[in-house]
Structure formats: structure tokens, C-alpha cells
Amino acid sequence: MAASCLNRKFCCSICLELLKDPVTTSCGHSYCITCVKSHWDTEDEKRVYSCPQCRQVFTPRPVLVKSTMLADLVEELKKTGLQAAPADHCYPHYDSTNVCSRHDEVMKMFCRTDQQSICYLCSVDEHKGHDTVSAAAERSEKQRELEVSRENIQQRIQDREKDVKLLQQEVEAINGSADKTVGNSEKMFTELIRLMEKRRSDVKQQVRSQQQTEVSRVKELQEKLEQEITELKRRDAEMKKLSHTQDHNQFLHDYPSLSPLSESTHSSSIKSRPLRYFEDVTETVSEVRDKLQDVLREKWTNITQTVTEVDVLRSEPEPEPKTRAEFLQYSCDITLDPNTAHTKLILSDGNRKVKVRWENQSYSSHPDRFTDWCCQVLSKESLTGRCYWEVRRGGGVSVAVAYKNISRAGISDECVFGHNDKSWALECDDSYNYVYNSVFTRVFGPQSSRVGVYLDHRAGILSFYSITKTMTLLHRVQTTFTQPLHAGFGFYGCVGHTAELCELK
């Protein structure tokens, strides 16, 4: 037994035979030179070499030198007549985990069924009938799997590094575009400010110049009138003196010497027209200011929307809703804007309901109000993104969406929902008609007093639904919206007809 244990100390843990031309690695383990070279030959592709026993890694591949002392010891063993221990009993002394605790045999087998290392006796005993292979074969298989996994990981690393590089380029592009846009915007706003400053200066200069001219004219007229007053006072004094003359003959003698009084050429011009000041200029400037504010307010929404639509990492769009429950996820709170309501319309229920009345309502004048034959109203809220709302109608109603800059007055189609390129409408009465840019499309579907409207502004989708016990698609529009939209109702002179924005739970 002692000889067997001694032999094991001089066994190669790869071939399990006495060492032939032994070499020792830097980690202190010894092998046959041909065994360890063959083992490392299989690792050439990885360019990483490891000790078969302790797995210490060497880079680059070590240069092996024959261990003279160990070779001499092995030769001495041979001379004593001791034979190498049988292969089945020769196992590394350094690692008890490689020895079967039940049979005291080297675990050179692997049970794939139980996923554990076993010895040969185990394979014909409790692991009989299992899927068993040699440990070397299993290691070779797992090594291949490991290499495939490493290749996949390395490929993913390369892909991610490429993605990181692309994202860095995106960051640079975003920063560059933003910087350029900010610079251009600053330049354009500076030009606008400079123009406004110039116009302000021009108005001031013109007013002051006209002020000076008018004051000069008034003072000139004032001076002439004062001269006329002096002359008139002098004449009045002469006449007064003459009127006090007691001698009749003297009075008659002096009277012809009075020159006739001429008509005034100044006072009549003053009476014929009132003096004009500069209040009209203030009103005109005020009109310009209001128009500029309206333009800036309207276009500012477009600017902010355009900025927020910049989405480099935009994901795939979500699918359209299919059920009413899914539509209700996008329900939005909408109210009607009194400043847009035609004078024949009266709002109620927190500006969610509108009714056509015979008499005009006492609304104040507002540039956003629909007038003439456009008996219409728009929502106060602008609509972007995904929105869903429902309308309960009483009678004929045009359920519409429109841009804020739709015309508000006149007897042309430019202000009527659906009759221009700034609005889209579903006319709901005894039948349905979809109208856009004065083109009518007959729509068929179940009649209902409730209409659902779905808007996906970014995707350019507008859909109308008949709401009964189920939802029925009446018409779907696919287009491109260039501005925020507003919900709207239109009526055609039918007193008593109503429309109401439903509260969705």
C-alpha cells in the first residue's frame, strides 16, 4: 500500500501513468511533457493556458524545461522494481474532490443525467443506465459550449461598443444641432427685437416731428389770432370813443374814416374741424401689438411642440387601442372656450355643454369668436399626443377638430368645420358624413346619440366611433397634423340642438 501511495505521487494527473520526461509548471504541478503540451495545444485558440490541476492561468504559453531531479527520482523508482499503480487507482493526491468518496477511485466519468462527476464503479452501480461519458469528453463538450458563450459575449461586447460609439455620435449630433438651433433662434429673435426697436424709434421720431409741426402751426395761428384780437381791441376803442362824441356833425364827419371790419380768416378754420391729437396712433400701435401677441402665442405652441417631438431614442409606436377600456386610458378633460362661441350658442355645465338659442348672447367682442354663419365653438385646450373624448349630441351636430388659426368670420368656407384644410369634421344627423376640405364622404354605421373621437396627433390618426353597447368605427383618417388641434362643435341654425362633452370614468 505504501508503494502504491508513493507511485501516486509520481503519477501524471493527465495520463495517470508514471511521469515520462517530467516538467513542472510555475504553480508547482508536474506532468509528462507530452501530456501537458497536448493539453495546451487545445488552448492555442484562446491564447490563454492553464494548469490542468489548479487552473492557474499563464500568459503567454510557458516554455517547459525537463525537471532533472524529478526524472532521476522516477528512474530510481523503476530500478527498485516498483511498478506504477494501476491507472484506476492512480489519482492526484492534491485534490480530494477528484476522488470518489465511496469507491476511493479517481472520478474520470461524468453522469449527464445527474450532472455530477463519478468514478467507473459508480457508472456500473448507482448510475447504471444513466447517460455517462468520460470526464474528458464532458469537459471537451463544455469547453466548446464555453467558447461559444465567450464568442457570443465578445460579439455582444463589440455590438455594444459600436452602439456606445453611435450614441456618442448621437450626443455630438444632438449638441451640435441644439447649439446651431439656439444660435439661429438667438439671431432671428435679435433681428426681431432690432426691428421692433427700430419701429419704436421710428414711431417716436414721427410723433415728435409731427408734434413739432402741429405745435408750430398752432402757435402761428395763435399769434395771428392774438394780433387780430389786438387790432380788434384797437378798433373797438376807436368806435367807443366815436360813440361818445356829443357833436352830431363831428360824429358824422369822423364816422367814414372808420375802415370796414374784414371777416376773420382763422377762427372759421378752427370751428370747421376739431383739433386732432395722437390717440389714433396709440390705437394703431395697440392693434399691431395685439396681432403680434396672437401670432407669437399661436406659433409658440408650434415651436414648443416641435422641440418636444425631438426624440432620438423614440421607441416603436404603441398599437392602437382595440377596446373601449383601452381607449379610456387616453381620455382627456376638455372644456369649451367661451371666447370662441358664436353669439347664438350658450354654454353651461362648466363649459362642457353647448346649446343653440334663438336670441344672441351678450358676449364681449373677441378676435377668437366665430361670427356670421359659423355657428361654432372650439375647446380651450389644445390637443397633442394621444387623446380620446366622447360627445353626447341632441340633434344635428358637426363633431370636429381644427387648428387654432382657422378663420373666425366671413361667409366663405374658410371658417366652416370640414370645408377647408384646417379642420376635419363628422356631420352627425339622420346620417353620417365625413367632411374635409369641402369633400364629403358618406359614412355608414349604427345611429347613436354618442360619438367617440380618438386622436393620435404624432401618428396623424383621427378616428370617429359610434358608441352604443359596443364601439363601431365610423371613419378613420390617416394624415399629418402640423399644429396642435382643438375639439369643436358646429351647428347649422337649428334652435335647441345641443352637444355635450361626456365625463369619462
Side-chain angles (χ1 to χ4, degrees), residues 175-202:
N175 291 337
S177 177
D179 292 343
K180 183 177 179 181
T181 300
V182 169
N184 290 337
S185 299
E186 288 288 329
K187 181 180 178 181
M188 287 183 280
F189 277 112
T190 300
E191 291 174 355
L192 284 173
I193 293 171
R194 188 182 297 116
L195 177 61
M196 295 300 297
E197 291 287 348
K198 185 177 186 306
R199 291 293 177 261
R200 183 180 68 173
S201 177
D202 291 345

PDB file of all heavy atoms in Angstrom, residues 175-202:
ATOM      1  N   ASN A 175     -26.067  67.790 -29.581  1.00  0.00           N
ATOM      2  CA  ASN A 175     -25.472  69.021 -29.066  1.00  0.00           C
ATOM      3  C   ASN A 175     -25.212  70.016 -30.186  1.00  0.00           C
ATOM      4  O   ASN A 175     -25.479  71.216 -30.048  1.00  0.00           O
ATOM      5  CB  ASN A 175     -24.173  68.710 -28.323  1.00  0.00           C
ATOM      6  CG  ASN A 175     -24.414  67.961 -27.022  1.00  0.00           C
ATOM      7  OD1 ASN A 175     -25.499  68.023 -26.459  1.00  0.00           O
ATOM      8  ND2 ASN A 175     -23.413  67.250 -26.538  1.00  0.00           N
ATOM      9  N   GLY A 176     -24.683  69.486 -31.308  1.00  0.00           N
ATOM     10  CA  GLY A 176     -24.411  70.371 -32.437  1.00  0.00           C
ATOM     11  C   GLY A 176     -25.679  70.993 -32.992  1.00  0.00           C
ATOM     12  O   GLY A 176     -25.735  72.199 -33.267  1.00  0.00           O
ATOM     13  N   SER A 177     -26.714  70.151 -33.163  1.00  0.00           N
ATOM     14  CA  SER A 177     -27.985  70.658 -33.690  1.00  0.00           C
ATOM     15  C   SER A 177     -28.616  71.651 -32.737  1.00  0.00           C
ATOM     16  O   SER A 177     -29.136  72.696 -33.152  1.00  0.00           O
ATOM     17  CB  SER A 177     -28.942  69.483 -33.947  1.00  0.00           C
ATOM     18  OG  SER A 177     -30.189  69.938 -34.397  1.00  0.00           O
ATOM     19  N   ALA A 178     -28.582  71.329 -31.428  1.00  0.00           N
ATOM     20  CA  ALA A 178     -29.166  72.236 -30.438  1.00  0.00           C
ATOM     21  C   ALA A 178     -28.420  73.568 -30.412  1.00  0.00           C
ATOM     22  O   ALA A 178     -29.039  74.642 -30.378  1.00  0.00           O
ATOM     23  CB  ALA A 178     -29.139  71.585 -29.055  1.00  0.00           C
ATOM     24  N   ASP A 179     -27.089  73.499 -30.424  1.00  0.00           N
ATOM     25  CA  ASP A 179     -26.295  74.733 -30.419  1.00  0.00           C
ATOM     26  C   ASP A 179     -26.594  75.583 -31.648  1.00  0.00           C
ATOM     27  O   ASP A 179     -26.747  76.810 -31.555  1.00  0.00           O
ATOM     28  CB  ASP A 179     -24.799  74.407 -30.358  1.00  0.00           C
ATOM     29  CG  ASP A 179     -24.399  73.792 -29.016  1.00  0.00           C
ATOM     30  OD1 ASP A 179     -25.182  73.912 -28.067  1.00  0.00           O
ATOM     31  OD2 ASP A 179     -23.310  73.182 -28.948  1.00  0.00           O
ATOM     32  N   LYS A 180     -26.684  74.916 -32.805  1.00  0.00           N
ATOM     33  CA  LYS A 180     -26.973  75.641 -34.043  1.00  0.00           C
ATOM     34  C   LYS A 180     -28.359  76.265 -33.998  1.00  0.00           C
ATOM     35  O   LYS A 180     -28.550  77.419 -34.396  1.00  0.00           O
ATOM     36  CB  LYS A 180     -26.860  74.682 -35.225  1.00  0.00           C
ATOM     37  CG  LYS A 180     -27.062  75.356 -36.584  1.00  0.00           C
ATOM     38  CD  LYS A 180     -26.873  74.355 -37.714  1.00  0.00           C
ATOM     39  CE  LYS A 180     -27.091  75.024 -39.081  1.00  0.00           C
ATOM     40  NZ  LYS A 180     -26.919  74.040 -40.182  1.00  0.00           N
ATOM     41  N   THR A 181     -29.336  75.477 -33.487  1.00  0.00           N
ATOM     42  CA  THR A 181     -30.703  75.985 -33.406  1.00  0.00           C
ATOM     43  C   THR A 181     -30.799  77.162 -32.449  1.00  0.00           C
ATOM     44  O   THR A 181     -31.455  78.165 -32.748  1.00  0.00           O
ATOM     45  CB  THR A 181     -31.660  74.862 -32.952  1.00  0.00           C
ATOM     46  OG1 THR A 181     -31.612  73.797 -33.909  1.00  0.00           O
ATOM     47  CG2 THR A 181     -33.084  75.375 -32.831  1.00  0.00           C
ATOM     48  N   VAL A 182     -30.142  77.028 -31.280  1.00  0.00           N
ATOM     49  CA  VAL A 182     -30.155  78.133 -30.320  1.00  0.00           C
ATOM     50  C   VAL A 182     -29.505  79.366 -30.932  1.00  0.00           C
ATOM     51  O   VAL A 182     -30.024  80.486 -30.807  1.00  0.00           O
ATOM     52  CB  VAL A 182     -29.422  77.724 -29.021  1.00  0.00           C
ATOM     53  CG1 VAL A 182     -29.185  78.935 -28.135  1.00  0.00           C
ATOM     54  CG2 VAL A 182     -30.228  76.676 -28.267  1.00  0.00           C
ATOM     55  N   GLY A 183     -28.390  79.159 -31.642  1.00  0.00           N
ATOM     56  CA  GLY A 183     -27.720  80.286 -32.285  1.00  0.00           C
ATOM     57  C   GLY A 183     -28.599  80.958 -33.327  1.00  0.00           C
ATOM     58  O   GLY A 183     -28.719  82.192 -33.365  1.00  0.00           O
ATOM     59  N   ASN A 184     -29.233  80.135 -34.178  1.00  0.00           N
ATOM     60  CA  ASN A 184     -30.122  80.687 -35.211  1.00  0.00           C
ATOM     61  C   ASN A 184     -31.326  81.383 -34.593  1.00  0.00           C
ATOM     62  O   ASN A 184     -31.756  82.449 -35.054  1.00  0.00           O
ATOM     63  CB  ASN A 184     -30.589  79.580 -36.154  1.00  0.00           C
ATOM     64  CG  ASN A 184     -29.468  79.056 -37.031  1.00  0.00           C
ATOM     65  OD1 ASN A 184     -28.476  79.756 -37.262  1.00  0.00           O
ATOM     66  ND2 ASN A 184     -29.599  77.849 -37.533  1.00  0.00           N
ATOM     67  N   SER A 185     -31.885  80.755 -33.537  1.00  0.00           N
ATOM     68  CA  SER A 185     -33.033  81.368 -32.865  1.00  0.00           C
ATOM     69  C   SER A 185     -32.646  82.701 -32.249  1.00  0.00           C
ATOM     70  O   SER A 185     -33.385  83.691 -32.347  1.00  0.00           O
ATOM     71  CB  SER A 185     -33.588  80.425 -31.791  1.00  0.00           C
ATOM     72  OG  SER A 185     -34.029  79.212 -32.360  1.00  0.00           O
ATOM     73  N   GLU A 186     -31.476  82.714 -31.576  1.00  0.00           N
ATOM     74  CA  GLU A 186     -30.999  83.963 -30.994  1.00  0.00           C
ATOM     75  C   GLU A 186     -30.846  85.040 -32.065  1.00  0.00           C
ATOM     76  O   GLU A 186     -31.218  86.194 -31.867  1.00  0.00           O
ATOM     77  CB  GLU A 186     -29.668  83.730 -30.283  1.00  0.00           C
ATOM     78  CG  GLU A 186     -29.763  82.955 -28.980  1.00  0.00           C
ATOM     79  CD  GLU A 186     -30.387  83.780 -27.869  1.00  0.00           C
ATOM     80  OE1 GLU A 186     -30.208  85.010 -27.892  1.00  0.00           O
ATOM     81  OE2 GLU A 186     -31.057  83.207 -27.006  1.00  0.00           O
ATOM     82  N   LYS A 187     -30.302  84.625 -33.199  1.00  0.00           N
ATOM     83  CA  LYS A 187     -30.090  85.585 -34.287  1.00  0.00           C
ATOM     84  C   LYS A 187     -31.424  86.131 -34.789  1.00  0.00           C
ATOM     85  O   LYS A 187     -31.587  87.346 -34.980  1.00  0.00           O
ATOM     86  CB  LYS A 187     -29.329  84.901 -35.426  1.00  0.00           C
ATOM     87  CG  LYS A 187     -29.036  85.814 -36.605  1.00  0.00           C
ATOM     88  CD  LYS A 187     -28.268  85.065 -37.689  1.00  0.00           C
ATOM     89  CE  LYS A 187     -28.002  85.967 -38.902  1.00  0.00           C
ATOM     90  NZ  LYS A 187     -27.271  85.242 -39.967  1.00  0.00           N
ATOM     91  N   MET A 188     -32.404  85.227 -34.995  1.00  0.00           N
ATOM     92  CA  MET A 188     -33.694  85.661 -35.522  1.00  0.00           C
ATOM     93  C   MET A 188     -34.457  86.508 -34.508  1.00  0.00           C
ATOM     94  O   MET A 188     -35.061  87.527 -34.869  1.00  0.00           O
ATOM     95  CB  MET A 188     -34.516  84.447 -35.942  1.00  0.00           C
ATOM     96  CG  MET A 188     -33.999  83.790 -37.226  1.00  0.00           C
ATOM     97  SD  MET A 188     -34.992  82.408 -37.787  1.00  0.00           S
ATOM     98  CE  MET A 188     -34.404  81.114 -36.706  1.00  0.00           C
ATOM     99  N   PHE A 189     -34.420  86.106 -33.220  1.00  0.00           N
ATOM    100  CA  PHE A 189     -35.095  86.916 -32.214  1.00  0.00           C
ATOM    101  C   PHE A 189     -34.400  88.264 -32.046  1.00  0.00           C
ATOM    102  O   PHE A 189     -35.058  89.280 -31.807  1.00  0.00           O
ATOM    103  CB  PHE A 189     -35.148  86.174 -30.878  1.00  0.00           C
ATOM    104  CG  PHE A 189     -36.272  85.194 -30.774  1.00  0.00           C
ATOM    105  CD1 PHE A 189     -36.028  83.830 -30.730  1.00  0.00           C
ATOM    106  CD2 PHE A 189     -37.586  85.631 -30.743  1.00  0.00           C
ATOM    107  CE1 PHE A 189     -37.072  82.923 -30.647  1.00  0.00           C
ATOM    108  CE2 PHE A 189     -38.640  84.724 -30.656  1.00  0.00           C
ATOM    109  CZ  PHE A 189     -38.384  83.371 -30.608  1.00  0.00           C
ATOM    110  N   THR A 190     -33.076  88.262 -32.179  1.00  0.00           N
ATOM    111  CA  THR A 190     -32.342  89.530 -32.114  1.00  0.00           C
ATOM    112  C   THR A 190     -32.759  90.440 -33.261  1.00  0.00           C
ATOM    113  O   THR A 190     -32.936  91.655 -33.082  1.00  0.00           O
ATOM    114  CB  THR A 190     -30.823  89.274 -32.159  1.00  0.00           C
ATOM    115  OG1 THR A 190     -30.446  88.462 -31.043  1.00  0.00           O
ATOM    116  CG2 THR A 190     -30.053  90.578 -32.116  1.00  0.00           C
ATOM    117  N   GLU A 191     -32.928  89.836 -34.460  1.00  0.00           N
ATOM    118  CA  GLU A 191     -33.392  90.631 -35.608  1.00  0.00           C
ATOM    119  C   GLU A 191     -34.791  91.184 -35.363  1.00  0.00           C
ATOM    120  O   GLU A 191     -35.091  92.340 -35.701  1.00  0.00           O
ATOM    121  CB  GLU A 191     -33.377  89.761 -36.862  1.00  0.00           C
ATOM    122  CG  GLU A 191     -31.976  89.401 -37.344  1.00  0.00           C
ATOM    123  CD  GLU A 191     -32.010  88.421 -38.507  1.00  0.00           C
ATOM    124  OE1 GLU A 191     -33.114  87.960 -38.865  1.00  0.00           O
ATOM    125  OE2 GLU A 191     -30.931  88.115 -39.055  1.00  0.00           O
ATOM    126  N   LEU A 192     -35.644  90.330 -34.769  1.00  0.00           N
ATOM    127  CA  LEU A 192     -36.993  90.812 -34.460  1.00  0.00           C
ATOM    128  C   LEU A 192     -36.952  91.945 -33.441  1.00  0.00           C
ATOM    129  O   LEU A 192     -37.655  92.959 -33.591  1.00  0.00           O
ATOM    130  CB  LEU A 192     -37.837  89.655 -33.911  1.00  0.00           C
ATOM    131  CG  LEU A 192     -38.349  88.630 -34.914  1.00  0.00           C
ATOM    132  CD1 LEU A 192     -39.020  87.478 -34.192  1.00  0.00           C
ATOM    133  CD2 LEU A 192     -39.330  89.270 -35.894  1.00  0.00           C
ATOM    134  N   ILE A 193     -36.127  91.764 -32.407  1.00  0.00           N
ATOM    135  CA  ILE A 193     -36.014  92.809 -31.387  1.00  0.00           C
ATOM    136  C   ILE A 193     -35.460  94.094 -31.996  1.00  0.00           C
ATOM    137  O   ILE A 193     -35.945  95.196 -31.710  1.00  0.00           O
ATOM    138  CB  ILE A 193     -35.118  92.321 -30.231  1.00  0.00           C
ATOM    139  CG1 ILE A 193     -35.799  91.165 -29.486  1.00  0.00           C
ATOM    140  CG2 ILE A 193     -34.790  93.456 -29.272  1.00  0.00           C
ATOM    141  CD1 ILE A 193     -34.913  90.470 -28.483  1.00  0.00           C
ATOM    142  N   ARG A 194     -34.435  93.915 -32.873  1.00  0.00           N
ATOM    143  CA  ARG A 194     -33.853  95.090 -33.537  1.00  0.00           C
ATOM    144  C   ARG A 194     -34.898  95.790 -34.404  1.00  0.00           C
ATOM    145  O   ARG A 194     -34.991  97.028 -34.431  1.00  0.00           O
ATOM    146  CB  ARG A 194     -32.653  94.657 -34.377  1.00  0.00           C
ATOM    147  CG  ARG A 194     -31.873  95.845 -34.950  1.00  0.00           C
ATOM    148  CD  ARG A 194     -30.719  95.377 -35.824  1.00  0.00           C
ATOM    149  NE  ARG A 194     -29.747  94.616 -35.051  1.00  0.00           N
ATOM    150  CZ  ARG A 194     -29.477  93.342 -35.248  1.00  0.00           C
ATOM    151  NH1 ARG A 194     -30.134  92.660 -36.187  1.00  0.00           N
ATOM    152  NH2 ARG A 194     -28.576  92.728 -34.524  1.00  0.00           N
ATOM    153  N   LEU A 195     -35.706  94.986 -35.100  1.00  0.00           N
ATOM    154  CA  LEU A 195     -36.760  95.570 -35.936  1.00  0.00           C
ATOM    155  C   LEU A 195     -37.789  96.300 -35.071  1.00  0.00           C
ATOM    156  O   LEU A 195     -38.228  97.410 -35.404  1.00  0.00           O
ATOM    157  CB  LEU A 195     -37.439  94.470 -36.753  1.00  0.00           C
ATOM    158  CG  LEU A 195     -38.612  94.905 -37.638  1.00  0.00           C
ATOM    159  CD1 LEU A 195     -38.148  95.931 -38.668  1.00  0.00           C
ATOM    160  CD2 LEU A 195     -39.256  93.704 -38.328  1.00  0.00           C
ATOM    161  N   MET A 196     -38.168  95.671 -33.942  1.00  0.00           N
ATOM    162  CA  MET A 196     -39.123  96.310 -33.051  1.00  0.00           C
ATOM    163  C   MET A 196     -38.549  97.605 -32.477  1.00  0.00           C
ATOM    164  O   MET A 196     -39.254  98.618 -32.361  1.00  0.00           O
ATOM    165  CB  MET A 196     -39.502  95.347 -31.921  1.00  0.00           C
ATOM    166  CG  MET A 196     -40.241  94.094 -32.382  1.00  0.00           C
ATOM    167  SD  MET A 196     -41.785  94.478 -33.227  1.00  0.00           S
ATOM    168  CE  MET A 196     -42.698  95.266 -31.916  1.00  0.00           C
ATOM    169  N   GLU A 197     -37.264  97.566 -32.106  1.00  0.00           N
ATOM    170  CA  GLU A 197     -36.618  98.774 -31.598  1.00  0.00           C
ATOM    171  C   GLU A 197     -36.615  99.876 -32.650  1.00  0.00           C
ATOM    172  O   GLU A 197     -36.858 101.045 -32.345  1.00  0.00           O
ATOM    173  CB  GLU A 197     -35.186  98.455 -31.153  1.00  0.00           C
ATOM    174  CG  GLU A 197     -35.080  97.577 -29.910  1.00  0.00           C
ATOM    175  CD  GLU A 197     -35.439  98.326 -28.649  1.00  0.00           C
ATOM    176  OE1 GLU A 197     -35.554  99.570 -28.705  1.00  0.00           O
ATOM    177  OE2 GLU A 197     -35.611  97.678 -27.596  1.00  0.00           O
ATOM    178  N   LYS A 198     -36.357  99.491 -33.899  1.00  0.00           N
ATOM    179  CA  LYS A 198     -36.329 100.483 -34.978  1.00  0.00           C
ATOM    180  C   LYS A 198     -37.724 101.066 -35.200  1.00  0.00           C
ATOM    181  O   LYS A 198     -37.890 102.276 -35.361  1.00  0.00           O
ATOM    182  CB  LYS A 198     -35.826  99.839 -36.268  1.00  0.00           C
ATOM    183  CG  LYS A 198     -35.645 100.837 -37.412  1.00  0.00           C
ATOM    184  CD  LYS A 198     -35.082 100.166 -38.642  1.00  0.00           C
ATOM    185  CE  LYS A 198     -34.760 101.185 -39.735  1.00  0.00           C
ATOM    186  NZ  LYS A 198     -35.922 102.049 -40.076  1.00  0.00           N
ATOM    187  N   ARG A 199     -38.725 100.165 -35.194  1.00  0.00           N
ATOM    188  CA  ARG A 199     -40.098 100.646 -35.395  1.00  0.00           C
ATOM    189  C   ARG A 199     -40.523 101.538 -34.226  1.00  0.00           C
ATOM    190  O   ARG A 199     -41.209 102.541 -34.406  1.00  0.00           O
ATOM    191  CB  ARG A 199     -41.052  99.466 -35.536  1.00  0.00           C
ATOM    192  CG  ARG A 199     -40.849  98.691 -36.830  1.00  0.00           C
ATOM    193  CD  ARG A 199     -41.249  99.549 -38.034  1.00  0.00           C
ATOM    194  NE  ARG A 199     -40.999  98.852 -39.288  1.00  0.00           N
ATOM    195  CZ  ARG A 199     -39.954  99.037 -40.052  1.00  0.00           C
ATOM    196  NH1 ARG A 199     -39.011  99.921 -39.665  1.00  0.00           N
ATOM    197  NH2 ARG A 199     -39.802  98.386 -41.186  1.00  0.00           N
ATOM    198  N   ARG A 200     -40.107 101.176 -33.023  1.00  0.00           N
ATOM    199  CA  ARG A 200     -40.417 102.009 -31.863  1.00  0.00           C
ATOM    200  C   ARG A 200     -39.772 103.382 -32.011  1.00  0.00           C
ATOM    201  O   ARG A 200     -40.407 104.421 -31.760  1.00  0.00           O
ATOM    202  CB  ARG A 200     -39.922 101.336 -30.584  1.00  0.00           C
ATOM    203  CG  ARG A 200     -40.270 102.120 -29.320  1.00  0.00           C
ATOM    204  CD  ARG A 200     -39.767 101.451 -28.076  1.00  0.00           C
ATOM    205  NE  ARG A 200     -38.311 101.469 -28.010  1.00  0.00           N
ATOM    206  CZ  ARG A 200     -37.614 101.072 -26.956  1.00  0.00           C
ATOM    207  NH1 ARG A 200     -38.242 100.578 -25.899  1.00  0.00           N
ATOM    208  NH2 ARG A 200     -36.293 101.121 -26.957  1.00  0.00           N
ATOM    209  N   SER A 201     -38.499 103.370 -32.448  1.00  0.00           N
ATOM    210  CA  SER A 201     -37.797 104.637 -32.647  1.00  0.00           C
ATOM    211  C   SER A 201     -38.446 105.449 -33.763  1.00  0.00           C
ATOM    212  O   SER A 201     -38.583 106.677 -33.657  1.00  0.00           O
ATOM    213  CB  SER A 201     -36.325 104.360 -32.975  1.00  0.00           C
ATOM    214  OG  SER A 201     -35.630 105.552 -33.246  1.00  0.00           O
ATOM    215  N   ASP A 202     -38.853 104.761 -34.853  1.00  0.00           N
ATOM    216  CA  ASP A 202     -39.491 105.452 -35.977  1.00  0.00           C
ATOM    217  C   ASP A 202     -40.791 106.123 -35.541  1.00  0.00           C
ATOM    218  O   ASP A 202     -41.065 107.285 -35.888  1.00  0.00           O
ATOM    219  CB  ASP A 202     -39.775 104.474 -37.118  1.00  0.00           C
ATOM    220  CG  ASP A 202     -38.500 103.995 -37.799  1.00  0.00           C
ATOM    221  OD1 ASP A 202     -37.448 104.629 -37.582  1.00  0.00           O
ATOM    222  OD2 ASP A 202     -38.557 102.989 -38.527  1.00  0.00           O
TER     223      ASP A 202
END
